[in-house]
Amino acid sequence: MVETTGGEGDSRVEALRARLTRRDVIRGVAGTGIALSIAGFSRPGAHAQDASPTAGPPIKVAFVYVSPVGDLGWTWAHDQGRLALEQTLPNVETSYQESVPENPADAERVIRDFAQKGNQIVVTTSFGYMQPTINVAKDFPDTTFVHISGYMTAENVSTAFGKIEEPRYVSGLIAGKMTKSNQLGYVAAFPIPEVIRGINAFTLGVRKANPAATVKVVWTNTWFDPQKERQAADALLDGGADVITQHQDTAAPQQAAEARGAYGVGYDADMSPLAPKAVLTSPIWHWGVYYIDLVRQVQAGTWQSNQYWGGWKDGLVDLAPIAPMVPEDVRAMGETEAAKFRNGEQTIYTVFTGPLKDQSGEEKVPVGQAMTDEALLTMDWFVEGVEGDPTP
Amino acid sequence: MNDITSIAFLTSVLAAAIPAGTAILYACLGELLCERAGVLNLGVEGMMLMGALGGFAVAYHTEQAWLGAIAAFAVGGALASIHALLVVSLRANQVVSGLALTLFGSGLSAFLGRDLVGRPAPASFGKVAVPLLSDIPYLGSILFRQDALVYVSYGLVPLLWWFVFRTRPGLNLRALGENPATADAMGLNVAALRYGYVIAGGALAGVGGAAISLATNPGWSENMTAGRGWIAVALVIFGTWNPARAAFGAYLFGGVEAGQFRLQGAGVPISSFYLSMLPYLFTIAVLILASRETARRRIGAPAALGRPYVREERG
């Protein structure tokens, strides 16, 4: 574990700030507000004004990461958010610790340490940090804690997550058009609702574009083991899959696809540099949008505990550029669909609108009815077209 | 393919088992040499990681996969020389020194490799079909459509077996592990030989790391060996300090590791958690079987394993 502290206030940061246009920041902040009113989560709206003080002591923000920042995956995406925070807001000091195990002892120690060091905001970026975050937060009532991807809140603990299913659905539309064997493979980490929702959204996209295609799921039961992820992808490729996507923290499944001349869909970050011949596109995160808004609220004193679930329209999630090997008509279709999500015409709720059947063909969501937040957040069944076991 | 009783399925599992087992096999052969010389090296995981990083870094900058493999060999050996210094010359506790080197190796490789994480490999060992041999039905696609490091390991296993059991230096090696005082009386330089075998063992562990970072999964990411070094240590016991049996164990392990995903893909109704556990259950079973002192004697554990040798001191 390596701890690094990034400072602020020097001329370098000023220069970087200048590069980000004011419009970007305003769009991000305004988008967040709109999303919250759509999602119906409770939160005060008084945050759109620029309230960051330029004088006085810096606000200290600490991040707890589950894997190394260089993985071009989940943690990398959060670290990009941290950097965006430093570059956009004046007077912010950030620090982070990488590869913090999710066991209660290690996670609590690291979180407590950050709180004791006087960080006003501590962000914990993996599901397994949920209980440790709640535990530590009890002892530091004046510190703001944000737990990513969990469901437990407290007076000083918020949760935040994004609707990555929206770009996953569009990536599925593209993948469904690109498969020749009508067999797609999904290397998945753990059978939890977050991962199951992603698999379902991808499959709904695939089947919309190509009703004959199926998506086969293999569980690795690890977030980060490139060798296992690769073996899982190889097993899917041996089974006849010709497009591989994944919910893991490395690009190993895409690299396995490239080695076999198959296609892949990345995740977390634009993974095309790691497997340029395979990666069609990647559903990606822009955590900076959320982190900047969070710090502004804390600085302005308007922050209150909430459950944030941002979508494509808010700019929190996005789709990486579609690769050049995708034919023009498929690319146009993908971009048209992406635009519908960006302007809010389509959302996770339109993706998960009935009729939806489960694997056995039994109707789970009737025609015209959208799934509720609760049903989505506890989803434990696969839609029709997925091959695999949602409760292995 | 999805019929698990079909020959095609079995062939696919076995063909995946060989490369999955090869990284472990190199580390296992290295540990075997080291333990045969009477030194326990628990730093294998750290040496694999440093080898994986060193190999990838050199291949990345020179664009030569073979130079990378040689660098991995050197880096693994260099880290092992620290172990040799600590436990042979300074007679430190071998368990503590080995554990320290695993921690050191994984931390140092993570630190040094920060800029290489996620970089695509400009050179790696791809699968090469051996002419003629690869056309043998089934066997050809299992054994002879693999990468170069796999082929080297095919040669290494019989070579080491012959060396350990059929040559004079091999006899001396076994004497070092069974009774260093006798070896000393025979005129062997116990310290120098132990240095040599510990370093050679670490070098092979380094190549084992490179078998991942340059062959099966080209690239570098922190902690990419994910505990395979420990499995190598366990497999030495399973293999009863015999290179041929160690190879069998490594491939068996590789088969379990790679096979679990194929069983899942075939829709076998066993929980994936149980399938993920298989390699470790297997390791635990091996360790339990081999843990009893009488059993250890019967299977031929080197008698002086783990004990520093001090001249004039009775064992």
Side-chain angles (χ1 to χ4, degrees), chain B residues 247-263:
Chain B
F248 174 73
Y251 292 141
L252 194 60
F253 195 90
V256 173
E257 199 184 79
Q260 57 172 310
F261 300 115
R262 285 173 167 73
L263 287 175

Side-chain angles (χ1 to χ4, degrees), chain B residues 221-236:
Chain B
S221 46
E222 182 180 324
N223 199 21
M224 73 185 302
T225 55
R228 288 174 181 80
W230 294 108
I231 288 163
V233 174
L235 282 180
V236 172

Side-chain angles (χ1 to χ4, degrees), chain A residues 162-169 186 193-205 309 341 346-357 364-373 375-377 379-384 386:
Chain A
K163 294 163 181 161
I164 196 73
E165 295 79 10
E166 296 176 354
R168 272 201 196 278
Y169 171 79
Y186 205 119
E194 171 195 346
V195 179
I196 289 173
R197 262 195 326 269
I199 292 167
N200 286 337
F202 179 78
T203 307
L204 289 171
W309 200 22
F341 281 95
Q346 286 235 56
T347 61
I348 190 171
Y349 306 103
T350 60
V351 170
F352 286 102
T353 290
L356 294 179
K357 291 178 180 169
K364 297 287 275 192
V365 183
V367 180
Q369 190 177 318
M371 289 181 72
T372 61
D373 280 350
L376 285 168
L377 291 170
M379 200 169 204
D380 59 357
W381 52 277
F382 279 151
V383 296
E384 198 172 31
V386 181

Side-chain angles (χ1 to χ4, degrees), chain B residues 157-168:
Chain B
V157 172
L159 189 71
L160 281 182
W161 183 88
W162 173 78
F163 174 79
V164 172
F165 295 112
R166 291 289 181 272
T167 67
R168 183 82 208 174

Side-chain angles (χ1 to χ4, degrees), chain B residues 290-304:
Chain B
S291 65
R292 288 168 49 230
E293 188 64 28
T294 50
R296 281 168 70 88
R297 258 175 225 289
R298 198 167 62 239
I299 62 180

Side-chain angles (χ1 to χ4, degrees), chain A residues 42-44 153-159 302-307:
Chain A
S42 63
R43 206 177 67 161
T153 57
E155 193 82 330
N156 57 335
V157 183
S158 279
T159 61
T302 58
W303 182 88
Q304 279 187 0
S305 172
N306 64 83
Q307 289 185 302

Side-chain angles (χ1 to χ4, degrees), chain B residues 12-54:
Chain B
S12 124
V13 170
L14 293 177
I18 302 267
T22 297
I24 300 167
L25 175 59
Y26 274 107
C28 189
L29 292 175
E31 181 68 12
L32 187 148
L33 281 181
C34 190
E35 292 193 13
R36 275 284 178 190
V39 179
L40 182 68
N41 178 6
L42 294 184
V44 180
E45 177 80 0
M47 287 159 205
M48 281 183 86
L49 278 167
M50 284 301 290
L53 173 68

